[in-house]
Each structure stands twice: as structure tokens, then as C-alpha cells.
Amino acid sequence: MDDTITSVIESKAVESPLPQLGRLRELLNDRRKHKFYKCVAEVEIGTLGGDELWEMSEDEINGEFLSRQPRHIDSDGKVVHLEADDFIVEKR
């Protein structure tokens, strides 16, 4: 499938009044607006462990966060079980 066919399918889904396509419309609109991630927390390294964390790799830090908080309660009150891909770790 090429981009043209994908665009046609997306347009038809977004324009459709069918209630069954509601969640698909939300996902497509988020994709078009580049709303892929939702920041739920931002932590400065110095507040968690200082120099020890600076010596760890980003993957090690990611694993440490995951072990400390394996789930999150979203804005709808639902429990979301977190995975390594749910964290973005940047050492700057």
C-alpha cells in the first residue's frame, strides 16, 4: 500500500459519520497532529540519585524508572501497565 491509498483510507475514515469509527478517527487525528506521546512526568536527574544516575546508560535509567513505577493511572482513572517503550530518557 502506498501513501496515496493510505491517505484516501484515512480521509474516508475521518469524514465518516459511523460511530464505530470514533476511536479510529481520534487516532488518525492524533497522528495528523503529531500527538504521539503524552508527557506524564519530567524528572531532573539530580533529584533522584545525582551522580549515580549520570554514570548509568539511558537504558539502565529507563529500567530503573520502570522498576520503581510499573504502572500509572491515566486521566480517565484507568491503570496503565507501563513498559520500557513508555519512557523516554534523555541525558543532556
Side-chain angles (χ1 to χ4, degrees), residues 28-51:
L28 291 171
N29 283 325
D30 286 350
R31 181 176 170 265
R32 288 178 176 182
K33 295 174 184 174
H34 300 283
K35 291 173 59 178
F36 300 117
Y37 301 103
K38 181 177 185 178
C39 181
V40 295
E42 189 170 337
V43 179
E44 290 186 32
I45 295 271
T47 64
L48 283 184
D51 295 337

Side-chain angles (χ1 to χ4, degrees), residues 1 3 11 16 21-23 28 30 38 40 42 45 48 53 59 61 66 74 80 84-85 87:
M1 206 168 9
D3 288 342
S11 294
S16 173
L21 297 179
R23 181 66 181 132
L28 291 171
D30 286 350
K38 181 177 185 178
V40 295
E42 189 170 337
I45 295 271
L48 283 184
L53 288 174
D59 288 337
I61 294 170
L66 185 58
D74 71 9
V80 178
D85 291 344
F87 294 93

Side-chain angles (χ1 to χ4, degrees), residues 57-74:
S57 72
E58 290 179 352
D59 288 337
E60 290 172 322
I61 294 170
N62 189 315
E64 183 69 23
F65 282 139
L66 185 58
S67 70
R68 290 183 185 193
Q69 187 173 351
R71 60 186 176 273
H72 168 74
I73 298 175
D74 71 9

Side-chain angles (χ1 to χ4, degrees), residues 70-82:
R71 60 186 176 273
H72 168 74
I73 298 175
D74 71 9
S75 58
D76 296 328
K78 296 178 186 171
V79 175
V80 178
H81 294 280
L82 301 173

